[in-house]
Amino acid sequence: MAGTKTTFHEWSVGQVADRSGVTISALHFYEREGLISSWRNDGNQRRYGRDTLRRLAFIRASQLVGIPLATIKAALEDLPNQRTPREADWARLSSLWKKRLDLQIEQLIRLRDDLTTCIGCGCLSFKRCLLVNPGDQLATEGPGPRRLLPGTPRPDLDEAE
Amino acid sequence: MAGTKTTFHEWSVGQVADRSGVTISALHFYEREGLISSWRNDGNQRRYGRDTLRRLAFIRASQLVGIPLATIKAALEDLPNQRTPREADWARLSSLWKKRLDLQIEQLIRLRDDLTTCIGCGCLSFKRCLLVNPGDQLATEGPGPRRLLPGTPRPDLDEAE
DNA sequence: CTCACACCTCAACCTAGGTTGAGGTCAAGC
DNA sequence: GCTTGACCTCAACCTAGGTTGAGGTGTGAG
C-alpha cells in the first residue's frame, strides 16, 4: 500500500485518522482552518508530527465542552510555536475550559431550578416566567441572530424523537 | 397604522413579536415549520390567538434547554388539539425537559471532573484521556458524520460528555 | 503490466435556525 | 391623492462543522 511506510513518528493522514478517530475529511478541514498542520512527502501526501494527536485530542475535548472551533484555534495559537508543547502547556489550556464548564454547569442548574419553579406554577408566561427571561435578560438584544443564552445555545444532547 | 386595531385577544404578527421578543421573521419561520399557526384577516394579514404566546414561551424555554425545533414541534403536537391547552398540559411538557436537563447537567459534571483529572496529569492522550474517550466509548463508530457525543454534539451549551 | 488502494484537490452539498432583501399590497392620516 | 408603516411572499443568504463526490496521482504487490 502506498504511504504505509512508517518513519519515526511521522504519520499519514489515514494513520492519524485511525488513531484519533477523526475522519480524514475533518483532518483536511482542520488543516484548512489552521487548527493543525502537516508537511508533504515526495508524493505530495500529508505527513503529521507527534503533537498532532495531542492537538486533535485537545480539539475534541474542547468541542465536548462546547467551544467553537474558532475559539479553539485561538487557544492553540497560544501554544509555544518553536518548541514542542509540554504537558504543562496543555494543562494550562485545559484549565481554561474548566472555567467555562463551571459556568455552563452553573447556568444549566439555574435553568433547571427555574424550570422546576415554572412547572410548579405551569405559567410559561413571558411576563413572569424565569425560564423565558433567564437572568434578568430580556429579549432586547438588537438585530442579528438571536442567541438565547450568552453562550451560543445550539440544539443538542438529544436522542429520542 | 394598518392592522393596529385590537380585537379581543387577536394579535398581529408585529404585536406578537413585541410581546414575545421573537422576531417577525422567526414567527414566519415557525409557522412554516408548523410550530405555531395563525389565521388571516380580510387584508391577508396573520392573526394570532391567545395560546400563541404560550407556545412561543415554550419554544424559547425548550431551546434554552437545548432541544432542537423538530423535537419541540413533536412535543407541541401532543398538546390537545381541540381545546385550549391548560396549565397542566404545559407543565407536563415542561417536566419532560427537566429530565433532559438533569441528564445534561450530570454529563457536564462528569466532563468537568474528567477534565480536572486530565489537567492533573496533563495527558490529553487518545489512549488514556477520560475526556477524549468519555464513557468508555472509543472512536469506532463507523462511517457517516462523526458525532463526538452519542447525542448530536454541537458546539455549545450542551454537549455534555 | 495491471490492479487496488491510499492519497490528492476542488467544488458542491448538508442541517439548523433563522435573516435579508426585493417587489408588492393594504389602510390610515394629512 | 400621496405618503407612511405594517404587512405579505418568495428566494437567496448566513454560520458551523464538516461530508460527498468527481477526477486525477502515486505506489507497492502479484
Side-chain angles (χ1 to χ4, degrees), chain A residues 3-114:
Chain A
T4 313
K5 178 173 43 184
T6 308
T7 318
F8 178 68
H9 287 320
E10 172 178 313
W11 288 305
S12 70
V13 71
Q15 289 172 322
V16 171
D18 283 349
R19 281 170 166 268
S20 66
V22 174
T23 60
I24 294 180
S25 64
L27 291 172
H28 288 178
F29 177 75
Y30 290 157
E31 188 168 329
R32 275 204 301 289
E33 298 293 306
L35 281 100
I36 60 175
S37 62
S38 64
W39 60 94
R40 303 300 175 108
N41 72 356
D42 289 352
N44 192 37
Q45 296 189 352
R46 286 175 179 80
R47 287 301 176 262
Y48 295 93
R50 216 167 156 23
D51 58 325
T52 298
L53 287 179
R54 278 274 178 136
R55 280 182 170 256
L56 289 172
F58 181 72
I59 292 168
R60 293 246 285 162
S62 304
Q63 287 188 306
L64 287 176
V65 183
I67 319 278
L69 283 190
T71 309
I72 300 174
K73 181 187 174 189
L76 284 172
E77 280 165 358
D78 270 357
L79 282 177
N81 232 339
Q82 295 318 317
R83 68 179 166 81
T84 298
R86 294 193 249 281
E87 309 250 310
D89 296 315
W90 295 109
R92 187 167 40 78
L93 284 193
S94 302
S95 71
L96 273 177
W97 291 179
K98 180 171 183 306
K99 282 178 197 142
R100 280 191 178 243
L101 256 184
D102 284 340
L103 196 64
Q104 276 186 40
I105 290 171
E106 191 186 302
Q107 287 177 326
L108 274 189
I109 287 177
R110 189 155 54 79
L111 185 57
R112 179 182 59 186
D113 295 346
D114 288 356

Side-chain angles (χ1 to χ4, degrees), chain A residues 155-159, chain B residues 68 147-155 158-159:
Chain A
D156 281 0
L157 200 270
D158 181 12
E159 62 282 346
Chain B
R147 313 249 121 163
L148 296 173
L149 285 188
T152 315
R154 267 292 180 59
D158 63 2
E159 254 63 278

Side-chain angles (χ1 to χ4, degrees), chain A residues 21 23 53-54 57 60 63-64 66 87 102 112 121-124 126 131 146 148 152 154 156 158 161, chain B residues 21 53-54 57 60 63-64 66 68 71 87 102 112 121-123 126 131 146 148 152 154 156 158-159 161:
Chain A
T23 60
L53 287 179
R54 278 274 178 136
R60 293 246 285 162
Q63 287 188 306
L64 287 176
E87 309 250 310
D102 284 340
R112 179 182 59 186
C121 72
C123 63
L124 275 175
F126 275 109
L131 249 185
R146 217 164 262 271
L148 297 172
T152 315
R154 268 287 175 69
D156 281 0
D158 181 12
E161 291 263 339
Chain B
L53 287 179
R54 279 274 178 135
R60 295 248 285 162
Q63 287 188 307
L64 287 177
T71 308
E87 309 250 308
D102 284 340
R112 179 182 59 186
C121 73
C123 65
F126 276 107
L131 249 185
R146 215 163 262 271
L148 296 173
T152 315
R154 267 292 180 59
D156 284 3
D158 63 2
E159 254 63 278
E161 288 239 46

Side-chain angles (χ1 to χ4, degrees), chain B residues 25-133:
Chain B
S25 64
L27 291 173
H28 287 177
F29 176 74
Y30 291 158
E31 188 169 327
R32 275 203 303 288
E33 298 292 307
L35 281 100
I36 59 176
S37 62
S38 64
W39 60 93
R40 304 300 176 105
N41 71 357
D42 287 352
N44 192 36
Q45 297 189 351
R46 288 172 179 82
R47 287 300 176 263
Y48 296 93
R50 215 167 157 25
D51 58 327
T52 298
L53 287 179
R54 279 274 178 135
R55 281 184 169 255
L56 289 172
F58 181 72
I59 293 167
R60 295 248 285 162
S62 304
Q63 287 188 307
L64 287 177
V65 183
I67 320 278
L69 283 189
T71 308
I72 299 174
K73 181 186 173 188
L76 284 173
E77 281 165 358
D78 270 358
L79 282 176
N81 231 339
Q82 294 319 316
R83 67 178 168 81
T84 299
R86 294 193 249 281
E87 309 250 308
D89 297 313
W90 295 110
R92 187 167 41 78
L93 284 193
S94 301
S95 72
L96 274 175
W97 290 180
K98 180 173 183 302
K99 285 182 193 136
R100 281 189 181 246
L101 256 184
D102 284 340
L103 195 65
Q104 276 187 41
I105 290 171
E106 191 187 302
Q107 288 177 323
L108 273 189
I109 287 178
R110 189 154 56 80
L111 182 58
R112 179 182 59 186
D113 294 347
D114 289 355
L115 184 58
T116 306
T117 308
C118 284
I119 290 174
C121 73
C123 65
L124 274 177
S125 146
F126 276 107
K127 295 179 207 134
R128 295 171 293 161
C129 187
L130 294 167
L131 249 185
V132 173
N133 291 322

